[in-house]
Amino acid sequence: MQVRKAVITAAAESQRALPMQTLFDQEGVERSVLSLIVREAAHAGITDIGIVVWPGDESAYAKLLVDDPARITFIPQIESRGYGRAVLHAREFVQGEPFLHCVGDHIYVDPTAGGSARQLVQLAQAESCAVSAVQVTRESLLPYYGAVGGHAVPGRTGVYRVETVLEKPTPTEAEQRITVPGLRAGQYLCFYGMHVLTSSIFEILEQMLIGSAAGTSLSSALAELARREQYFAMVQKGRRFDVGVKYGLFNAQLALALSGRDRDQVLTELISVLTTRDLFPASGDAA
């Protein structure tokens, strides 16, 4: 099993502008969110990247990627029928191969060499199966993520055989259906926004979309994938940052800066700001 292609989804109406936002990477170079995701994939050995876009956005995205080390193909999405439909648009591009999939509004900051995508691809190739990146997440954040349940794979630290997949479960539902042995109470394995998928996912998505005007979620298709074939989840040591939520871009930038070459400078500036009492009056002092 060789993973040479990647698919990035970036066509949702609420998501289209997010890949164009810019940050400074660990080397202090200004890059777009989309460029950071493309580079994450390239570090994993990906050579061909398909980006699912809304028609007309191609030229704007292309300008952000002129210096990036991968062949880019833009895949137009002409209808909005859910996340699953967006992934299905990439079927012709993938041509039956396994592929890395990343969402277009997440930044990944990982302290390990090579990054999160590289670890995920290596495991998928070694085990010849689909693998989703997950992160141990407290139950208060369940409304924001899909989550998985399963059992640890012997001999593989932080790797689980997926048995159940739920899309944004309630704490009660999670406790009943996706409690994972070894995790603390109130902690769950939630999606990281990154997967290596086999081409089986397209057949599943196509079947689910037949007769469905509302579309389908990727989580629903992954639940079916777990019933059909071996499917693992791999816990990530890094962190994912959704740049589409409140302060998401700020948090992502802070994490990149603190893990990069300008760390000491950024820490000094943070301390300077935090110790400026006039900027942060105590409760009641502002009046």
Side-chain angles (χ1 to χ4, degrees), residues 71-286:
R71 289 187 291 271
I72 304 296
T73 299
F74 291 107
I75 305 165
Q77 179 181 346
I78 58 175
E79 58 180 346
S80 297
R81 290 182 60 197
Y83 183 11
R85 184 70 179 98
V87 174
L88 185 56
H89 272 85
R91 188 175 198 170
E92 184 176 346
F93 166 78
V94 169
Q95 294 185 338
E97 297 183 34
F99 63 100
L100 173 69
H101 168 51
C102 301
V103 292
D105 56 359
H106 279 42
I107 294 290
Y108 312 98
V109 181
D110 195 314
T112 56
S116 300
R118 184 174 182 178
Q119 298 172 54
L120 200 67
V121 167
Q122 288 175 341
L123 178 62
Q125 292 181 157
E127 298 292 342
S128 294
C129 69
V131 184
S132 288
V134 294
Q135 189 155 63
V136 178
T137 305
R138 62 185 185 273
E139 67 178 10
S140 62
L141 297 177
L142 285 173
Y144 299 101
Y145 302 106
V148 305
H151 289 82
V153 175
R156 288 278 191 182
T157 301
V159 178
Y160 297 82
R161 186 182 302 277
V162 177
E163 298 169 355
T164 308
V165 182
L166 299 178
E167 175 64 13
K168 301 175 181 178
T170 64
T172 299
E173 187 179 21
E175 185 177 7
Q176 292 173 345
R177 299 185 59 192
I178 56 171
T179 299
V180 175
L183 294 188
R184 295 178 181 176
Q187 291 187 332
Y188 298 94
L189 298 179
C190 290
F191 286 137
Y192 195 71
M194 183 185 292
H195 315 263
V196 172
L197 302 173
T198 62
S199 60
S200 301
I201 199 70
F202 295 121
E203 178 186 349
I204 295 169
L205 286 168
E206 187 173 54
Q207 291 173 349
M208 287 184 166
L209 283 162
I210 293 174
S212 172
T216 187
S217 70
L218 182 62
S219 293
S220 299
L222 292 175
E224 177 61 26
L225 184 71
R227 290 188 280 268
R228 295 190 183 190
E229 60 186 54
Q230 180 169 271
Y231 169 34
F232 288 169
M234 182 183 190
V235 176
Q236 299 297 306
K237 294 181 180 178
R239 287 193 61 191
R240 41 143 153 68
F241 295 91
D242 183 346
V243 300
V245 302
K246 188 176 183 179
Y247 301 124
L249 196 67
F250 169 78
N251 290 332
Q253 178 60 90
L254 189 59
L256 286 168
L258 292 178
S259 65
R261 68 178 187 181
D262 295 329
R263 180 179 183 274
D264 290 345
Q265 176 187 342
V266 172
L267 280 173
T268 299
E269 292 293 335
L270 279 174
I271 293 170
S272 176
V273 170
L274 292 172
T275 56
T276 305
R277 293 178 58 85
D278 291 344
L279 289 177
F280 307 102
S283 178
D285 289 353

Side-chain angles (χ1 to χ4, degrees), residues 25-47:
D25 67 10
Q26 288 97 329
E27 300 301 316
V29 178
E30 187 174 16
R31 300 192 187 281
S32 67
V33 169
L34 185 59
S35 176
L36 289 169
I37 299 169
V38 166
R39 285 173 176 265
E40 173 84 22
H43 289 157
I46 301 300
T47 56

